[in-house]
Amino acid sequence: MYKEDDYIMISALQHFLFCPRQCALIHLEQEWSENYLTTSGNLLHKKVNEGASESRKNIHIARSLRLFSSELGISGISDVVEFYRKNDPDESCCRLENKEGWWQPYPVEYKRGKTKNDETDEVQLCAQAICLGEMLKVKIKSGSLYYGSENRRHEVLFTQELRYLTQTISEKVHALINNKLTPKAEYSKKCLACSIYDVCIPEKNHKKDIGYFKLIYGEDD
């Protein structure tokens, strides 16, 4: 169990999976800058988060819930958590204040782009589900990622493998923060879309590392 003072942001897990150096620059060195990708993403989140919570007959939609998990030592703010009324409650259901019956939570995270070829978004959503599960004392089985460019949801199952990956990444981020060491740059195509490219300067730093390697070991590996 972690103390609240040691909590890291849920977003740090996604940043670490994208690039450990980016994670360190943002969450350790407090570096940040906006680019067109983060700006459009912020506008999408603002539109979602500024909407009021609402209730219908069998669904309650909550926005901008504060989430935390002392088990993983993480905290953050959800985009949307939908609660569905269930007549036959099971381990995935909970009670809601000022509402009758049993309700099943379903987290939804909004993304500006399209589906990725990695698990960065799935881990972020799974971390939210783990927080909700701990807070509400339920087992959350699934949630959704909504991608603005595709204008549709993709359901994510919170399998044991995904939960384990989320826990592992959380431990690695805690270690990164505690060690206070920023990893070296490793230049790749994804660097061009990074919001802190001008802070990191990955191509320049990466070339320096390569030059040093050649100086010591010669031209060949």
Side-chain angles (χ1 to χ4, degrees):
M1 296 294 180
Y2 291 87
K3 296 180 180 179
E4 189 170 351
D5 290 343
D6 297 324
Y7 285 2
I8 57 176
M9 297 177 65
I10 292 176
S11 59
L13 277 62
Q14 183 193 41
H15 292 147
F16 184 91
L17 273 170
F18 177 79
C19 171
R21 178 174 170 84
Q22 184 201 62
C23 180
L25 289 172
I26 294 174
H27 299 277
L28 185 59
E29 300 187 21
Q30 306 299 309
E31 296 283 1
W32 182 253
S33 61
E34 296 284 354
N35 64 5
Y36 75 98
L37 294 174
T38 57
T39 299
S40 59
N42 290 338
L43 290 173
L44 175 62
H45 282 86
K46 183 178 181 181
K47 181 179 179 180
V48 173
N49 295 334
E50 286 186 348
S53 297
E54 58 181 293
S55 295
R56 302 166 195 165
K57 183 177 180 180
N58 292 315
I59 182 174
H60 175 69
I61 302 174
R63 294 181 171 87
S64 300
L65 291 180
R66 181 179 182 272
L67 307 176
F68 64 89
S69 167
S70 59
E71 180 181 352
L72 296 188
I74 58 177
S75 66
I77 304 295
S78 68
D79 281 342
V80 169
V81 180
E82 299 172 346
F83 293 89
Y84 293 90
R85 187 194 295 272
K86 295 294 180 180
N87 295 326
D88 299 314
D90 56 22
E91 62 178 1
S92 67
C93 298
C94 63
R95 297 283 192 178
L96 293 181
E97 187 176 358
N98 300 323
K99 293 189 179 297
E100 296 182 356
W102 291 88
W103 300 80
Q104 185 179 70
Y106 187 86
V108 182
E109 174 70 13
Y110 283 71
K111 299 293 182 183
R112 60 158 295 281
K114 57 184 180 180
T115 52
K116 300 179 177 66
N117 295 323
D118 55 41
E119 297 173 301
T120 53
D121 294 341
E122 284 81 359
V123 164
Q124 183 180 7
L125 185 64
C126 185
Q128 294 180 17
I130 291 173
C131 290
L132 280 169
E134 183 178 319
M135 294 165 61
L136 301 175
K137 296 178 173 57
V138 298
K139 179 69 174 294
I140 300 177
K141 300 176 181 179
S142 62
S144 277
L145 293 164
Y146 173 88
Y147 289 96
S149 295
E150 300 174 356
N151 195 29
R152 67 188 184 95
R153 292 184 177 187
H154 294 264
E155 186 167 62
V156 177
L157 300 179
F158 302 128
T159 62
Q160 286 299 114
E161 292 78 11
L162 181 56
R163 290 175 181 272
Y164 179 75
L165 175 61
T166 303
Q167 179 181 352
T168 301
I169 297 302
S170 174
E171 293 171 353
K172 289 183 177 181
V173 175
H174 276 287
L176 179 73
I177 300 299
N178 291 335
N179 290 335
K180 295 181 171 56
L181 292 175
T182 299
K184 292 182 178 181
E186 293 185 13
Y187 183 74
S188 66
K189 289 183 179 180
K190 67 181 181 182
C191 293
L192 299 176
C194 180
S195 61
I196 55 173
Y197 178 91
D198 292 336
V199 175
C200 176
I201 319 177
E203 188 173 13
K204 179 180 179 182
N205 290 331
H206 183 67
K207 285 182 177 179
K208 283 183 178 180
D209 294 339
I210 292 176
Y212 177 77
F213 182 89
K214 289 182 177 180
L215 176 66
I216 301 299
Y217 297 103
E219 291 295 325
D220 298 323
D221 293 348

